[in-house]
Amino acid sequence: MLDKAPITRSGPVRQVHDFKSGNEAAALAARDIGFHLMGYFPITPSTEVAETLSKMQADGEHEIAMIPADGEHGAAGICYGAALGGGRVLNATSSQGLLYALEQLPVQSGTRVPMVLNVSTRTVSGPLDIRCDHSDVYFVLNAGWIILMARDPQAAYDMNFAAVRIGEHPDVRLPVIVAYDGFLTSHQKRRIDRFDDPAAVRAFVGEREDPYTALDPDRPVTFGPYMNDPDLINNKVQQHEAMEAARRVIPDIFAEFAEFSGRDYRSVDAYRMDDADVALVLLNSAAENAKGVVDRLREDGLKVGVVSPNVLRPFPTDEIRRVLKNVRAAVVGDRGDSYGAEGGNLSLEIRAALQQDPDNSTLVLSRIYGLGGKDFYDADAEEFFREALTAAETGKVDVPFEYHGAYAGDDAAGPAPGLPPIKSEEVTRGMATVTKNAETERLEVELKPLWEMTTTPSRIAPGHGACPGCGFFPMLRQAYNVLEGNIVVLFQTGCAMVTTTGYPKTAHRITYIHNLFQNGAATLSGLVEMYHERIRRGEIPAPPEDEDTTFIMVTGDGGMDIGMGAALGTAHRNHRMIILEYDNQGYMNTGSQLSYSTPYGHRTSTSEVGNNLSGKRFHHKDTPQIFAACNLPYVFTASEGYPEDFMRKISKAQWYARHEGMVYGKVLSFCPLNWRTQDDAAQEVLQTAIDCCFFPLYEVEKGHTLVTYDPDAIGRRRQVADWLGQMGKTKHMLAKENAERLGMIEHEVQKRWQRLKIKSEHPEL
Ligand SMILES: Cc1ncc(C[n+]2csc(CCOP(=O)(O)OP(=O)(O)O)c2C)c(N)n1
Ligand code: SF4
Ligand SMILES: [Mg+2]
């Protein structure tokens, strides 16, 4: 909490050294600024901002309301709504997350609602790669947000303070992005100085003042009215003027910040540029690398320097012209291509800035470097300088645009083959026989003995990158034992995807597709329809009856948060496919953040446990009931701990997907790493989850619910507390001070179980 001590503005404020990564520094700044609210959704490498704040919140270090969104689009909406309420708002994201939020960004800038968004930059998909480049932040250049660049953890800390002041300036009133390099800055710890005088910080950031808020009953306001020509274009003139105002305001705020902190930022960072003949222009951490090379080349008498904008929007045109005025040649390195434009965005904008200056004749070479986290070494900077020196000497540019240190690959040198693709005949062994009971109209399944199933080759090859004990693979193996014929799988992003396909290898011996986990269901539904359409047109052979290809989307529980909209759309259209969710109760692939399926009170890296907080604060999502409400032909729950039950259900799922429409199945799937158990504890933990009725096994077939395992009926009912005591992530719930929380989850579990049993017992339900 900030205290109310008097403040002093003379000279740098009291500060302490710390050793922090860029993400941690951004989180510290958020704490020190005292934002009202953060709306967020995890994505590597920015997740740590929310995680760090979550831990701090649990320990009572700040009072920021932390709202876990259902996806970045939701997070952006939460932030926009909160900012309309007049408080200070924060978000952090990267890559696909930024793109998923993109649609909301112009809404916010267009209605002039300030907030701060930290972007830990990462390459955009596809293919998926989690490491740094600037292709994500380049996408938002047209979003109307101010964009500040932060070259190291110190700058990530500092720019957050500047961002609040710049964005909220009455002449500006725009949202602000602070962008720092994923991993290179977000994860590398460096020494930083952080403020140690809360009252002075409070005085520096001041109070947010909004001309209007959505929370003032005395002054109702219409935000975002429908607007047409000519008002819209006039409105955009105002938005343009706000950016122009930012151009004036930014140097003032930077100067104030310099006085406050002792750290002097300019719109353009110019290193040894006073007499430079050639320059290298780079963004963020690569520019820092290049400074060492400048020092070395200067020792050889070469007049070189580095230029690096600290501000991308508004683009510091005048400063760029000034700093490059006497430079004969410059290499502009872009960590992101504007495909087809013959230059990355930075080089295009620098060329445009110089072209407007009649006194400038700097030759510009555009180079694309470091995509997808490709390292940028001293040797790379040196090569750029040599190219610029050659251009300066010869007075001409031989290669205006080029990819640096990369090539288009060699068709002849494809990846070494792994196991050969598997043929449908090899895996169609009749391990499950599905028949319809004429009386009940339900499907019945007869399974071959388990030992016989071991002879079925798997559609997934041995060898994957999952943790020992991971439950996903036994689950998939069980499904593949009984599924017949040709299968096409689509995996949404998550552990199962990441651990089975690391280029150039794939563990899939059948056709596999990846799409991001917000849109897999829609993607697969498109493929399903193309399959049937091409059969209808005679372009691909019609399969014999009962032998249609089966399309399965494999998703984690997280995918059923962010991807819920696409999945529900798919369900309502009733495409002939299966959605198979392995529920490990969290976003495990990104380091165990809470999903909406995470049970109440469970500890995750965004629902931390401390003196002030005790795990997740809302109950787990009842996804099977949501899909049941879509009136699908078949919905089921299962667990890899009950193979025969699961295999019966997945066989029925295939029948329904072939004959009637969409199936959804949720399978409780063991995750020893993040549940904090022994690797071999699956059987015990899953059994208790089922026996305590937290995870009931049931199916909803043509609208009729049937509990397929009733622990009450066979005297195996256990307490929820027994299950919670088996996992490190939940042990805290058994502490005396958490008795009320324990009661809440017990109550919820019992309530849902009772309803289910009533449905199961009633012939109409
Ligand atoms: C739009 C977008 N936001 C966030 C991410 C980061 N991300 C990738 S996988 C994942 C978690 C997936 O959770 P879940 O579906 O439960 O699968 P699990 O990792 O648990 O296997 C997240 C948050 C992303 N790739 N794209
Ligand atoms: S984190 Fe969990 S779900 Fe992911 S691979 Fe490891 S055990 Fe499996
Ligand atoms: Mg999960």
Side-chain angles (χ1 to χ4, degrees):
M1 282 293 293
L2 302 177
D3 62 41
K4 298 258 187 240
I7 39 122
T8 156
R9 294 290 290 279
S10 53
V13 66
R14 192 175 69 234
Q15 304 183 48
V16 290
H17 295 322
D18 214 331
F19 187 57
K20 294 290 174 195
S21 69
N23 283 337
E24 291 167 338
L28 277 177
R31 178 198 67 181
D32 295 346
I33 290 164
F35 285 92
H36 289 72
L37 183 144
M38 178 176 194
Y40 66 94
F41 188 80
I43 182 163
T44 308
S46 60
T47 313
E48 215 184 357
V49 178
E51 289 177 337
T52 308
L53 284 166
S54 174
K55 183 79 190 101
M56 287 177 180
Q57 185 187 33
D59 294 338
E61 287 183 41
H62 67 77
E63 295 185 343
I64 305 169
M66 304 284 295
I67 313 289
D70 53 341
E72 289 85 357
H73 195 245
I78 290 167
C79 289
Y80 180 50
L84 287 171
R88 286 200 165 121
V89 176
L90 173 75
N91 190 356
T93 192
S94 302
S95 178
Q96 239 51 34
L98 185 61
L99 266 62
Y100 197 38
L102 182 61
E103 181 268 340
Q104 284 290 291
L105 303 190
V107 174
Q108 184 142 359
S109 57
T111 48
R112 309 280 300 278
V113 184
M115 66 164 279
V116 179
L117 167 60
N118 281 273
V119 175
S120 174
T121 65
R122 159 181 153 184
T123 194
V124 298
S125 207
L128 189 142
D129 174 334
I130 59 171
R131 292 181 300 160
C132 172
D133 64 37
H134 298 145
S135 50
D136 53 1
V137 80
Y138 280 1
F139 266 98
V140 296
L141 289 173
N142 294 333
W145 287 47
I146 290 167
I147 302 176
L148 307 179
M149 304 302 286
R151 60 197 54 252
D152 55 23
Q154 181 71 66
Y157 182 76
D158 293 342
M159 288 295 182
N160 271 274
F161 292 88
V164 169
R165 289 287 309 279
I166 295 165
E168 292 177 13
H169 191 284
D171 296 344
V172 178
R173 295 201 53 77
L174 285 173
V176 184
I177 283 170
V178 175
Y180 49 87
D181 286 355
F183 290 109
L184 301 168
T185 299
S186 67
H187 282 65
Q188 284 197 26
K189 286 188 191 267
R190 298 271 286 274
R191 198 186 88 167
I192 66 164
D193 287 338
R194 62 175 171 78
F195 305 131
D196 190 35
D197 183 347
V201 169
R202 196 176 67 236
F204 179 78
V205 293
E207 296 292 326
R208 176 173 168 135
E209 281 175 21
D210 290 81
Y212 309 98
T213 84
L215 296 178
D216 182 353
D218 295 332
R219 289 204 307 162
V221 191
T222 297
F223 289 97
Y226 173 70
M227 189 185 277
N228 232 325
D229 161 68
D231 300 314
L232 192 280
I233 192 167
N234 296 339
N235 173 282
K236 293 299 157 192
V237 173
Q238 291 182 6
Q239 202 178 325
H240 157 74
E241 283 174 351
M243 260 302 169
E244 291 308 301
R247 209 183 280 290
R248 295 190 301 276
V249 164
I250 289 171
D252 292 348
I253 304 273
F254 280 170
E256 235 187 278
F257 186 78
E259 195 194 322
F260 176 67
S261 67
R263 290 183 290 280
D264 193 4
Y265 294 94
R266 306 291 164 98
S267 293
V268 173
D269 182 89
Y271 185 71
R272 304 192 75 169
M273 284 301 299
D274 288 347
D275 60 344
D277 278 338
V278 304
L280 184 47
V281 189
L282 296 168
L283 290 174
N284 275 357
S285 62
E288 293 305 286
N289 294 2
K291 286 177 181 173
V293 178
V294 166
D295 293 341
R296 226 183 39 245
L297 296 180
R298 285 251 169 196
E299 282 169 17
D300 298 340
L302 298 170
K303 289 186 178 172
V304 296
V306 178
V307 175
S308 180
N310 284 321
V311 181
L312 260 194
R313 282 291 178 274
F315 192 69
T317 318
D318 287 343
E319 292 86 339
I320 288 286
R321 285 185 191 136
R322 214 173 298 130
V323 76
L324 292 179
K325 188 157 223 69
N326 299 318
V327 168
R328 286 154 64 204
V331 167
V332 183
D334 273 287
R335 239 178 177 142
D337 192 0
S338 179
Y339 301 96
E342 301 193 345
N345 290 88
L346 184 61
S347 74
L348 298 175
E349 300 202 0
I350 286 188
R351 280 180 171 138
L354 299 183
Q355 194 253 341
Q356 297 291 326
D357 181 359
D359 300 331
N360 188 294
S361 54
T362 309
L363 298 169
V364 175
L365 295 77
S366 164
R367 297 291 179 263
I368 304 293
Y369 76 100
L371 301 191
K374 190 174 190 324
D375 282 319
F376 182 72
Y377 294 114
D378 285 6
D380 299 305
E382 191 163 337
E383 196 178 323
F384 284 168
F385 279 122
R386 302 266 171 222
E387 288 194 80
L389 285 162
T390 305
E393 271 160 35
T394 59
K396 64 182 174 69
V397 174
D398 289 329
V399 184
F401 171 71
E402 196 177 36
Y403 270 64
H404 169 77
Y407 76 117
D410 178 356
D411 283 347
L419 283 181
I422 202 153
K423 297 217 165 50
S424 297
E425 307 84 77
E426 287 179 66
V427 282
T428 303
R429 303 278 185 112
M431 292 294 156
T433 310
V434 183
T435 47
K436 191 179 252 182
N437 182 320
E439 207 177 304
T440 63
E441 295 258 306
R442 299 183 90 99
L443 297 181
E444 289 174 355
V445 181
E446 203 175 312
L447 293 178
K448 288 268 164 66
L450 289 180
W451 63 262
E452 210 173 312
M453 292 184 185
T454 57
T455 61
T456 308
S458 183
R459 293 170 177 88
I460 189 130
H464 55 71
C467 313
C470 177
F472 173 71
F473 289 89
M475 180 198 102
L476 195 61
R477 171 76 211 195
Q478 288 166 23
Y480 281 165
N481 277 344
V482 291
L483 289 170
E484 307 269 279
N486 188 37
I487 309 267
V488 171
V489 285
L490 183 148
F491 279 37
Q492 298 207 108
T493 323
C495 276
M497 169 260 168
V498 169
T499 57
T500 56
T501 59
Y503 184 83
K505 307 274 188 210
T506 176
H508 299 277
R509 300 178 68 192
I510 56 175
T511 295
Y512 160 97
I513 301 161
H514 164 248
N515 196 2
L516 280 305
F517 64 157
Q518 57 274 34
N519 220 11
T523 307
L524 197 62
S525 76
L527 185 63
V528 169
E529 293 312 312
M530 181 57 84
Y531 171 72
H532 293 297
E533 183 59 19
R534 293 195 64 195
I535 290 175
R536 194 184 69 77
R537 294 182 186 209
E539 292 173 3
I540 51 179
E545 212 190 329
D546 280 347
E547 290 184 26
D548 263 335
T549 293
T550 306
F551 295 86
I552 305 178
M553 180 178 98
V554 173
T555 178
D557 46 311
M560 287 296 98
D561 290 341
I562 189 170
M564 194 51 144
L568 287 179
T570 303
H572 285 115
R573 296 190 301 270
N574 201 26
H575 300 276
R576 281 177 269 170
M577 57 182 266
I578 300 170
I579 293 183
L580 187 60
E581 173 189 333
Y582 62 100
D583 175 7
N584 51 24
Q585 305 185 337
Y587 305 158
M588 300 320 188
N589 167 57
T590 38
S592 184
Q593 297 83 28
L594 71 84
S595 79
Y596 287 13
S597 292
T598 303
Y600 180 80
H602 286 214
R603 178 203 285 264
T604 71
S605 62
T606 48
S607 57
E608 277 288 2
V609 175
N611 293 336
N612 273 36
L613 282 182
S614 212
K616 189 179 173 226
R617 284 174 287 170
F618 55 97
H619 286 293
H620 59 290
K621 180 172 180 172
D622 203 343
T623 322
Q625 288 297 310
I626 296 174
F627 280 102
C630 296
N631 293 307
L632 297 180
Y634 190 55
V635 170
F636 69 89
T637 67
S639 161
E640 81 232 12
Y642 272 82
E644 282 160 311
D645 178 71
F646 174 46
M647 289 191 286
R648 270 194 200 95
K649 288 170 176 169
I650 195 78
S651 303
K652 289 172 84 163
Q654 182 169 40
W655 191 95
Y656 278 114
R658 277 177 166 167
H659 296 92
E660 297 205 1
M662 202 187 104
V663 173
Y664 165 81
K666 185 181 188 77
V667 184
L668 184 62
S669 184
F670 183 56
C671 172
L673 185 74
N674 293 318
W675 294 5
R676 304 188 191 194
T677 66
Q678 295 295 319
D679 296 346
D680 58 0
Q683 193 59 39
E684 189 191 356
V685 177
L686 296 175
Q687 183 71 53
T688 318
I690 293 163
D691 284 342
C692 76
C693 295
F694 164 77
F695 196 90
L697 301 182
Y698 69 98
E699 59 188 10
V700 184
E701 190 169 0
K702 308 291 240 31
H704 297 287
T705 301
L706 182 71
V707 168
T708 54
Y709 173 87
D710 181 351
D712 286 337
I714 55 172
R716 292 194 62 165
R717 181 75 188 264
R718 304 272 304 265
Q719 298 299 312
V720 174
D722 294 344
W723 171 55
L724 300 175
Q726 290 172 346
M727 296 175 286
K729 68 166 178 160
T730 43
K731 281 205 169 115
H732 62 277
M733 293 183 72
L734 304 184
K736 242 192 261 137
E737 59 274 20
N738 279 329
E740 199 180 322
R741 287 192 179 89
L742 177 61
M744 303 244 312
I745 187 169
E746 283 173 342
H747 176 73
E748 185 69 21
V749 164
Q750 181 59 15
K751 188 178 75 187
R752 292 189 193 185
W753 170 238
Q754 279 308 324
R755 282 192 192 140
L756 204 62
K757 277 205 9 181
I758 291 166
K759 283 185 189 170
S760 183
E761 284 156 11
H762 197 292
E764 295 297 324
L765 298 176

